[in-house]
Amino acid sequence: SDEVILVGRSNVGKSTIMRELTGHSFETGGKPGVTRSPNHYDWSGDDFMITDLPGFGFMSGVPDDVREQIKTDIVRYIEEYADNILAGVLVLDGKSAVDIIDRHSGEDEIPHDVEMFHFLRDVGVPTVVAVNKMDKVDDEDERLNDICDRLGLYPPWKQWQDTIAPITAKRGSIGPMEEAIRGHLEDAKRDDLK
Ligand code: GDP
């Protein structure tokens, strides 16, 4: 059935966001890499599911081959269900995302976040980039412009409010993300009627 998926590196705040969206409690700050299989939940009041996919990228104590397998599983899941995925939420840690992306940008290296963003687009999943932990970011506009730049979206970020959603999940401040998701869901409904 129809679903919205949440993807992101481990520790970016996916469990915290899931808690805010569903009202269920999820273990936050738990052992990285524990969420290995997709978790499905009803989105309060609506007739679709929200699916939390495992965190990808570096996790201390998790071997490289396991990390690779997790990422492969995520990609396969998205490819398999792309037709039912109404929106994808790529969660970033606003405090560290740009540094991590820059550290992993090279001739033959594409940072996970950038790769995932382009992959979602390639398979036709409308994407919201939830830039979390904005409470830890001082230069908000500059940071969001940098994120746009790294994702190949022409700054300023305010042009991309259907895509870039600054949030502080820990304080329950996720309005811009919910609005951006709802925007994509309405687009999907409109396309259905055509
Ligand atoms: P997950 O691994 O992506 O599921 O991340 P969690 O939801 O477990 O969060 C990882 C850590 O980030 C926890 O210590 C959270 O309390 C913290 N965290 C989540 N959201 C925010 C936020 O908006 N601001 C700050 N400062 N910390 C957050």
Side-chain angles (χ1 to χ4, degrees):
S1 69
D2 290 341
E3 60 183 305
V4 172
I5 58 164
L6 231 64
V7 291
R9 301 178 67 93
S10 82
N11 213 44
V12 292
K14 281 162 63 253
S15 311
T16 307
I17 292 171
M18 285 296 284
R19 190 179 62 208
E20 291 299 324
L21 284 176
T22 66
H24 286 80
S25 64
F26 295 85
E27 194 192 342
T28 51
K31 194 169 172 290
V34 165
T35 321
R36 290 282 166 72
S37 52
N39 283 316
H40 305 288
Y41 296 90
D42 294 331
W43 190 344
S44 352
D46 287 287
D47 57 351
F48 57 85
M49 301 183 303
I50 174 139
T51 302
D52 186 20
L53 292 169
F56 55 79
F58 176 80
M59 288 163 263
S60 79
V62 178
D64 283 356
D65 58 332
V66 175
R67 287 198 281 140
E68 272 308 310
Q69 189 58 50
I70 292 171
K71 205 172 130 194
T72 304
D73 291 346
I74 294 170
V75 165
R76 289 218 181 109
Y77 181 91
I78 296 171
E79 280 174 339
E80 184 171 353
Y81 297 106
D83 287 348
N84 295 328
I85 301 175
L86 303 179
V89 181
L90 171 63
V91 185
L92 304 184
D93 177 335
K95 178 81 181 170
S96 61
V98 174
D99 286 345
I100 294 174
I101 288 171
D102 288 351
R103 211 181 308 142
H104 293 281
S105 297
E107 291 229 326
D108 39 32
E109 197 180 10
I110 300 170
H112 292 312
D113 290 324
V114 176
E115 188 181 27
M116 193 56 74
F117 182 71
H118 292 304
F119 169 71
L120 287 166
R121 272 205 179 167
D122 289 346
V123 293
V125 173
T127 302
V128 173
V129 179
V131 186
N132 191 29
K133 308 198 187 182
M134 287 305 287
D135 57 314
K136 297 210 277 183
V137 175
D138 299 324
D139 47 350
E140 182 161 335
D141 286 334
E142 200 184 326
R143 184 63 54 94
L144 296 168
N145 287 341
D146 284 348
I147 287 172
C148 278
D149 173 71
R150 301 311 188 270
L151 295 176
L153 304 173
Y154 203 74
W157 76 273
K158 296 231 164 150
Q159 296 188 116
W160 299 101
Q161 291 189 59
D162 57 344
T163 304
I164 302 288
I167 61 170
T168 298
K170 201 172 144 181
R171 294 188 189 149
S173 127
I174 58 167
M177 180 188 74
E178 289 182 299
E179 254 175 64
I181 295 171
R182 290 202 184 280
H184 288 316
L185 297 179
E186 276 157 31
D187 288 346
K189 257 187 224 156
R190 207 169 312 125
D191 290 344
D192 260 2
L193 295 174
K194 277 182 199 158

